[in-house]
Amino acid sequence: MNTEDRTSQQQSPEDKEKQDFLRNRGVIPLHIAVIMDGNGRWAKSRGSVRIAGHKAGVDSVKDITEAAAQVGVRHLTLYAFSTENWGRPKGEVSALMKLLVQSLRSETRKLHENDIKLTSIGEIDRLPPTCRRELEEAIELTTDNKRMELCLALSYSGRWDISQAVSRISQKVKDGILCPEEINGDIIADHLSTADMPDPDLIIRTSGELRLSNFLLWQSAYSELYVTNTYWPDFRRDELYEAIESYQNRERRFGKVPSHFELEESSVAMR
Ligand code: IPE
Ligand code: IPE
Ligand code: MG
């Protein structure tokens, strides 16, 4: 069975068609990172408690992970819990941790069957021991999988990431392994928790907030941003496809001039 067949059993022909359409119309982002926001407001809008929103959000995680792998995304990073989220009421934090354990227990086998490699970024040491154990076991089990990397940002913040990189680089300078003059963007990137991943091509934020909330601060330098008002528990694969389509319509210039200008300029210079 090839990798594409593994999840297509449950896939509708219309969905398969949409994915083929996207692959034919342009480049599929190599790395998509998602700020999964709006669980609390989703629950409130239904007269429910915040945790009901977090629970509903798990179904979106499953759908988006599956669809991303099927359409050909190679890295999917999900912002699941930020450093600042530790400051939420104790009951909410422990409910979120419990949900993480339950989801890892119920979903790891499927991830593995679908050839998805699970990784994580963030201060994993701060997670409760059961969480950490489940996470480490799932990471270990799926370590050789190749189809897509699913990276969970847990107890993560961009400032934490940059700080730990600076600290490790400083130690190398102190130990004489590195000269201060050698420190550049590549060295810093190599010491971030995302060293083994490409920078995100596309960052999606649900629930309409126009901010990064301390997510991948260094890595997002040239990411394309896509914000939708949809709350995370309502965000499903069709909106992921819309985000990818929007990405395909963008022109990424990385501070340079568009390629057709370059051609025009060189023909003017030759005259
Ligand atoms: C995102 O939803 C989940 C986490 C941050 C853990 P929120 O819990 O932030 O939901 P809102 O933004 O309050 O609606
Ligand atoms: C960002 O959402 C963190 C996660 C999605 C895990 P928040 O809800 O914590 O961010 P703010 O408070 O709206 O900036
Ligand atoms: Mg929020």
PDB file of all heavy atoms in Angstrom, residues 36-41 50 88 205 207 209 211, ligand 3:
ATOM      1  N   MET A  36      -4.230  27.726  16.954  1.00  0.00           N
ATOM      2  CA  MET A  36      -5.591  27.178  17.097  1.00  0.00           C
ATOM      3  C   MET A  36      -6.312  27.969  18.186  1.00  0.00           C
ATOM      4  O   MET A  36      -6.194  27.654  19.360  1.00  0.00           O
ATOM      5  CB  MET A  36      -5.504  25.702  17.500  1.00  0.00           C
ATOM      6  CG  MET A  36      -4.592  24.857  16.623  1.00  0.00           C
ATOM      7  SD  MET A  36      -4.621  23.104  17.075  1.00  0.00           S
ATOM      8  CE  MET A  36      -3.780  23.095  18.640  1.00  0.00           C
ATOM      9  N   ASP A  37      -7.042  28.986  17.790  1.00  0.00           N
ATOM     10  CA  ASP A  37      -7.618  29.882  18.788  1.00  0.00           C
ATOM     11  C   ASP A  37      -9.143  29.944  18.678  1.00  0.00           C
ATOM     12  O   ASP A  37      -9.710  29.718  17.605  1.00  0.00           O
ATOM     13  CB  ASP A  37      -7.014  31.289  18.603  1.00  0.00           C
ATOM     14  CG  ASP A  37      -7.218  32.164  19.830  1.00  0.00           C
ATOM     15  OD1 ASP A  37      -7.518  31.632  20.919  1.00  0.00           O
ATOM     16  OD2 ASP A  37      -7.096  33.403  19.695  1.00  0.00           O
ATOM     17  N   GLY A  38      -9.780  30.272  19.795  1.00  0.00           N
ATOM     18  CA  GLY A  38     -11.227  30.510  19.787  1.00  0.00           C
ATOM     19  C   GLY A  38     -12.059  29.401  20.421  1.00  0.00           C
ATOM     20  O   GLY A  38     -13.292  29.435  20.327  1.00  0.00           O
ATOM     21  N   ASN A  39     -11.414  28.464  21.079  1.00  0.00           N
ATOM     22  CA  ASN A  39     -12.175  27.370  21.712  1.00  0.00           C
ATOM     23  C   ASN A  39     -13.141  27.886  22.775  1.00  0.00           C
ATOM     24  O   ASN A  39     -14.293  27.452  22.855  1.00  0.00           O
ATOM     25  CB  ASN A  39     -11.228  26.370  22.399  1.00  0.00           C
ATOM     26  CG  ASN A  39     -10.333  25.653  21.417  1.00  0.00           C
ATOM     27  OD1 ASN A  39     -10.500  25.790  20.210  1.00  0.00           O
ATOM     28  ND2 ASN A  39      -9.378  24.900  21.927  1.00  0.00           N
ATOM     29  N   GLY A  40     -12.651  28.827  23.586  1.00  0.00           N
ATOM     30  CA  GLY A  40     -13.470  29.363  24.677  1.00  0.00           C
ATOM     31  C   GLY A  40     -14.684  30.109  24.144  1.00  0.00           C
ATOM     32  O   GLY A  40     -15.812  29.917  24.609  1.00  0.00           O
ATOM     33  N   ARG A  41     -14.456  30.947  23.122  1.00  0.00           N
ATOM     34  CA  ARG A  41     -15.568  31.721  22.552  1.00  0.00           C
ATOM     35  C   ARG A  41     -16.555  30.811  21.824  1.00  0.00           C
ATOM     36  O   ARG A  41     -17.760  31.037  21.837  1.00  0.00           O
ATOM     37  CB  ARG A  41     -15.019  32.803  21.607  1.00  0.00           C
ATOM     38  CG  ARG A  41     -14.539  34.039  22.352  1.00  0.00           C
ATOM     39  CD  ARG A  41     -13.664  34.897  21.486  1.00  0.00           C
ATOM     40  NE  ARG A  41     -12.333  34.311  21.354  1.00  0.00           N
ATOM     41  CZ  ARG A  41     -11.442  34.698  20.462  1.00  0.00           C
ATOM     42  NH1 ARG A  41     -11.746  35.655  19.604  1.00  0.00           N
ATOM     43  NH2 ARG A  41     -10.253  34.136  20.422  1.00  0.00           N
ATOM     44  N   ARG A  50     -15.825  26.630  28.843  1.00  0.00           N
ATOM     45  CA  ARG A  50     -14.661  26.726  27.957  1.00  0.00           C
ATOM     46  C   ARG A  50     -14.081  25.359  27.577  1.00  0.00           C
ATOM     47  O   ARG A  50     -13.714  25.117  26.428  1.00  0.00           O
ATOM     48  CB  ARG A  50     -13.572  27.571  28.617  1.00  0.00           C
ATOM     49  CG  ARG A  50     -13.940  29.035  28.793  1.00  0.00           C
ATOM     50  CD  ARG A  50     -12.819  29.772  29.517  1.00  0.00           C
ATOM     51  NE  ARG A  50     -11.563  29.656  28.789  1.00  0.00           N
ATOM     52  CZ  ARG A  50     -11.229  30.410  27.731  1.00  0.00           C
ATOM     53  NH1 ARG A  50     -12.047  31.358  27.306  1.00  0.00           N
ATOM     54  NH2 ARG A  50     -10.076  30.224  27.130  1.00  0.00           N
ATOM     55  N   ARG A  88      -3.552  30.583  33.063  1.00  0.00           N
ATOM     56  CA  ARG A  88      -5.019  30.414  33.077  1.00  0.00           C
ATOM     57  C   ARG A  88      -5.456  29.720  34.364  1.00  0.00           C
ATOM     58  O   ARG A  88      -4.625  29.132  35.069  1.00  0.00           O
ATOM     59  CB  ARG A  88      -5.445  29.580  31.861  1.00  0.00           C
ATOM     60  CG  ARG A  88      -5.211  30.330  30.564  1.00  0.00           C
ATOM     61  CD  ARG A  88      -5.860  29.637  29.402  1.00  0.00           C
ATOM     62  NE  ARG A  88      -5.667  30.426  28.193  1.00  0.00           N
ATOM     63  CZ  ARG A  88      -6.354  30.273  27.084  1.00  0.00           C
ATOM     64  NH1 ARG A  88      -7.294  29.345  27.012  1.00  0.00           N
ATOM     65  NH2 ARG A  88      -6.125  31.036  26.039  1.00  0.00           N
ATOM     66  N   ARG A 205      -4.225  31.608  11.593  1.00  0.00           N
ATOM     67  CA  ARG A 205      -4.773  31.859  12.924  1.00  0.00           C
ATOM     68  C   ARG A 205      -6.292  31.867  12.837  1.00  0.00           C
ATOM     69  O   ARG A 205      -6.870  32.602  12.025  1.00  0.00           O
ATOM     70  CB  ARG A 205      -4.289  33.173  13.528  1.00  0.00           C
ATOM     71  CG  ARG A 205      -4.871  33.354  14.940  1.00  0.00           C
ATOM     72  CD  ARG A 205      -4.180  34.375  15.791  1.00  0.00           C
ATOM     73  NE  ARG A 205      -4.668  34.263  17.161  1.00  0.00           N
ATOM     74  CZ  ARG A 205      -4.008  34.618  18.241  1.00  0.00           C
ATOM     75  NH1 ARG A 205      -2.802  35.102  18.130  1.00  0.00           N
ATOM     76  NH2 ARG A 205      -4.529  34.470  19.442  1.00  0.00           N
ATOM     77  N   SER A 207     -10.129  32.402  14.700  1.00  0.00           N
ATOM     78  CA  SER A 207     -10.859  33.248  15.651  1.00  0.00           C
ATOM     79  C   SER A 207     -10.644  34.744  15.462  1.00  0.00           C
ATOM     80  O   SER A 207     -11.059  35.531  16.308  1.00  0.00           O
ATOM     81  CB  SER A 207     -10.585  32.855  17.107  1.00  0.00           C
ATOM     82  OG  SER A 207      -9.483  33.570  17.638  1.00  0.00           O
ATOM     83  N   GLU A 209      -8.206  36.933  15.621  1.00  0.00           N
ATOM     84  CA  GLU A 209      -7.227  37.810  16.281  1.00  0.00           C
ATOM     85  C   GLU A 209      -6.048  38.071  15.344  1.00  0.00           C
ATOM     86  O   GLU A 209      -5.513  37.151  14.749  1.00  0.00           O
ATOM     87  CB  GLU A 209      -6.690  37.169  17.572  1.00  0.00           C
ATOM     88  CG  GLU A 209      -7.737  36.702  18.558  1.00  0.00           C
ATOM     89  CD  GLU A 209      -8.562  37.834  19.148  1.00  0.00           C
ATOM     90  OE1 GLU A 209      -8.283  39.012  18.840  1.00  0.00           O
ATOM     91  OE2 GLU A 209      -9.485  37.531  19.909  1.00  0.00           O
ATOM     92  N   ARG A 211      -2.802  38.753  15.692  1.00  0.00           N
ATOM     93  CA  ARG A 211      -1.504  38.770  16.388  1.00  0.00           C
ATOM     94  C   ARG A 211      -0.900  37.374  16.407  1.00  0.00           C
ATOM     95  O   ARG A 211      -1.583  36.372  16.178  1.00  0.00           O
ATOM     96  CB  ARG A 211      -1.660  39.298  17.820  1.00  0.00           C
ATOM     97  CG  ARG A 211      -2.705  38.571  18.643  1.00  0.00           C
ATOM     98  CD  ARG A 211      -2.788  39.114  20.079  1.00  0.00           C
ATOM     99  NE  ARG A 211      -3.882  38.514  20.802  1.00  0.00           N
ATOM    100  CZ  ARG A 211      -5.091  39.070  20.952  1.00  0.00           C
ATOM    101  NH1 ARG A 211      -5.342  40.258  20.424  1.00  0.00           N
ATOM    102  NH2 ARG A 211      -6.039  38.441  21.617  1.00  0.00           N
TER     103      ARG A 211
HETATM  104 MG    MG B   3      -7.538  32.490  22.765  1.00  0.00          MG
END
